[in-house]
Structure formats: C-alpha cells, structure tokens
Amino acid sequence: MSGLLVASAAAAGVFYLYTAVVLGWRGYGLGPAAGLPRGRARRRGGDWLVQAGLAGVDPREFAAVTAALAAAGAAAGFVVFGGPLPALVLGGCLGAVPLAS
C-alpha cells in the first residue's frame, strides 16, 4: 500500500514539473487556467462584497464578524453537546450566517 502511495506522489510530481516547465502552466490544476484575465487572476474581497450588496463593509470587518460568530457557535455547541465535533459543526454553521444573509 505504501508503494502505491509513493508511486502516486511521484507521478503527480512528474506531471506538475512537466506541465510547469514544458507547457508553462502555473498552479496545481489539471489544465491551464481558462477564462481568467492575465493581470487580475484573483478577485479581491472588496469586489466580492460589492457584488454581494455590501459595498460599505470593510473585508476585515466582515471577516471579524464571521470569525466571532463561528467562535460563539463553537462555544455554544461545546456547552450544549459536550463534544468537539458538534461544536465545530455548529461553529461552521453559525459562521456561515453572514455569507447567507
């Protein structure tokens, strides 16, 4: 079983090295990045917030509120259920509330 894992890792390494050197691909995808503009491969958090209708919200403020809600949900989940797994699930659900609203 470990031989299969080592062979798979080696094959992936050769694939990524070949595609990076010979084909000029960047990243870890199975093909070149399609449809992304050259100078702006990633969207900024502010652009995403404007599209979501939250133009006046700073991305750091949004992240802080999300983290605080997730921490409060995790703490409440641990108090109510007494275990780490339900606490993480509840924290994740409560942390996603700003994204859904």
Side-chain angles (χ1 to χ4, degrees):
M1 187 66 168
S2 65
L4 181 64
L5 185 64
V6 169
S8 297
V14 168
F15 171 77
Y16 289 130
L17 183 65
Y18 176 80
T19 57
V21 173
V22 176
L23 302 176
W25 295 354
R26 299 290 177 244
Y28 294 107
L30 294 176
L36 294 177
R38 275 283 176 191
R40 190 173 170 107
R42 287 190 307 158
R43 290 196 178 266
R44 301 203 48 179
D47 294 341
W48 180 79
L49 287 173
V50 168
Q51 290 178 359
L54 301 171
V57 179
D58 186 31
R60 291 176 292 187
E61 180 182 355
F62 184 79
V65 168
T66 301
L69 285 173
F78 191 77
V79 167
V80 171
F81 298 112
L85 186 60
L88 288 174
V89 170
L90 189 62
C93 290
L94 197 57
V97 167
L99 298 173
S101 60

